[in-house]
Amino acid sequence: MDLRWRIRATDNISVLEIGGEIDLHSAPDLRNELHRLTESKAPRLVVDLTEVTFIDSTGIGVLVGGLRRAREKGGSLAFCAAQPRVRRVFEITGLLRALPLHNTRDEAMRAVGETSASAANSQGNSDVS
Amino acid sequence: MSVKPSPVTPPIELRIPASSEWVRVARLAAAGVASRLQFGIDDIEDIKLAVAEAINNAIQHAPVPDKSSTLASVTLTLTVEKEGLRISVTDEGRIAEEIPTHNSTPRHGEDDLPEGGLGLLLIRSLMDEVSHVSGAHSDTTVHMFKRLPRLRAESKAAAAGDISPAA
């Protein structure tokens, strides 16, 4: 129920597996971790939301922030495998276009594995306000 | 379609400290109340999220006390009505002078969405009725209402001129 995560490094891609609830209380810790994971040049990160049982707007904000930072660093970030409940929050906020949710980790890894040039070109999504 | 008469349920009230670790308690309380009514799983999750967003906003506008004083409170009130569940979230408002709140200037601007805006957008999408009221002492109440699914389906069927209600 508390927010927890685990990192698996595969090839050049890090996979952040998140579980539990991302809310006002736990989001700052996640923000710090995403910050850390996007510190290097051209970070490639998959954020696996399979075990996330709750997310609110602060959680969405942190995920968007992580995506932005990865792109600013010339890297890419993709999300995958959210429960319908979590996907619904992405949909309602209208962010599904800006934060594509892949169905499987493999898909997300493929998306991230594309050149960072094409990932950056995939949309001018930097203004999510 | 018969409406069983039932006694009026008095409001259920929960007052929590205006601090982020307590939002979860309020979410669970709201979900607990919703599950006593004929809301489905999706509706219960909607209510849980809407309450979370309203309480997040209340906490972020609450005054931050200095070490010696008590945290402000946020009050969640749930009222069971015949047509659905009425929910209000009240914060205690800001003290007049300039004091730091939880919602002080974010350092990493690009990491923050306009969270108040996004939260309110969510609430308006998840609930059937939403309104905002400012109280006399700069406290604010967000009022929300979620209609029972049976009544939503019936009102849709009536609008469509259909006789049989949707499941």
Side-chain angles (χ1 to χ4, degrees):
Chain A
M1 272 162 298
D2 284 341
L3 182 65
R4 59 196 181 272
W5 59 75
R6 186 168 49 187
I7 299 164
R8 296 190 187 285
T10 331
D11 303 331
N12 304 327
I13 301 173
S14 293
V15 178
L16 178 66
E17 299 174 352
I18 307 178
E21 300 180 321
I22 311 174
D23 71 355
L24 180 66
H25 186 60
S26 61
D29 285 343
L30 181 60
R31 173 187 282 133
N32 290 339
E33 182 64 8
L34 282 169
H35 213 79
R36 192 184 72 80
L37 289 167
T38 51
E39 225 147 42
S40 58
K41 205 173 101 159
R44 292 172 195 276
L45 187 58
V46 165
V47 177
D48 189 333
L49 301 169
T50 307
E51 313 232 334
V52 172
T53 52
F54 177 85
I55 186 165
D56 65 8
S57 61
T58 46
I60 296 282
V62 163
L63 296 182
V64 169
L67 177 61
R68 277 188 187 152
R69 213 171 115 84
R71 289 185 175 164
E72 278 162 13
K73 294 274 185 160
S76 49
L77 190 156
F79 302 97
C80 68
Q83 296 180 20
R85 191 65 231 160
V86 170
R87 175 173 287 267
R88 176 153 157 71
V89 182
F90 277 65
E91 277 168 359
I92 299 174
T93 54
L95 291 174
L96 209 50
R97 242 177 329 141
L99 307 176
L101 273 177
H102 300 275
N103 288 323
T104 65
R105 185 185 289 193
D106 281 345
E107 269 179 42
M109 292 191 68
R110 266 196 297 276
V112 159
E114 287 163 7
T115 63
S116 40
S118 62
N121 281 343
S122 61
Q123 242 304 6
N125 287 327
S126 45
D127 275 317
V128 193
S129 46
Chain B
M1 174 193 69
S2 63
V3 179
K4 272 192 283 192
S6 49
V8 173
T9 309
I12 296 121
E13 209 174 73
L14 175 69
R15 180 175 291 170
I16 56 166
S19 183
S20 63
E21 70 266 34
W22 291 101
V23 183
R24 188 164 179 277
V25 170
R27 290 201 293 271
L28 293 177
V33 172
S35 65
R36 300 228 68 246
L37 310 179
Q38 282 126 16
F39 285 113
I41 293 179
D42 284 346
D43 284 339
I44 293 172
E45 290 294 325
D46 284 357
I47 288 166
K48 208 169 134 185
L49 181 55
V51 164
E53 296 294 346
I55 298 213
N56 286 353
N57 276 337
I59 286 175
Q60 288 171 317
H61 293 113
V64 173
D66 58 34
K67 287 190 197 119
S68 58
S69 55
T70 312
L71 279 170
S73 290
V74 174
T75 305
L76 167 69
T77 307
L78 303 124
T79 310
V80 177
E81 295 181 359
K82 201 170 66 169
E83 312 245 310
L85 183 61
R86 192 160 302 275
I87 303 173
S88 60
V89 172
T90 305
D91 67 65
E92 286 177 0
R94 217 181 267 250
I95 298 169
E97 63 226 78
E98 177 80 30
I99 47 158
T101 67
H102 292 283
N103 197 20
S104 43
T105 327
R107 240 168 266 154
H108 302 281
E110 74 270 8
D111 290 336
D112 295 321
L113 287 180
E115 280 152 18
L118 200 54
L120 209 50
L121 162 70
L122 275 169
I123 293 172
R124 288 190 196 282
S125 305
L126 297 162
M127 303 297 276
D128 294 309
E129 290 165 24
V130 180
S131 63
H132 239 135
V133 175
S134 283
H137 305 284
S138 74
D139 50 303
T140 306
T141 300
V142 174
H143 294 284
M144 305 173 272
F145 179 74
K146 184 84 170 167
R147 195 162 287 113
L148 284 168
R150 179 176 57 82
L151 296 171
R152 252 183 267 138
E154 280 164 3
S155 70
K156 267 194 200 159
D162 193 6
I163 299 171
S164 52

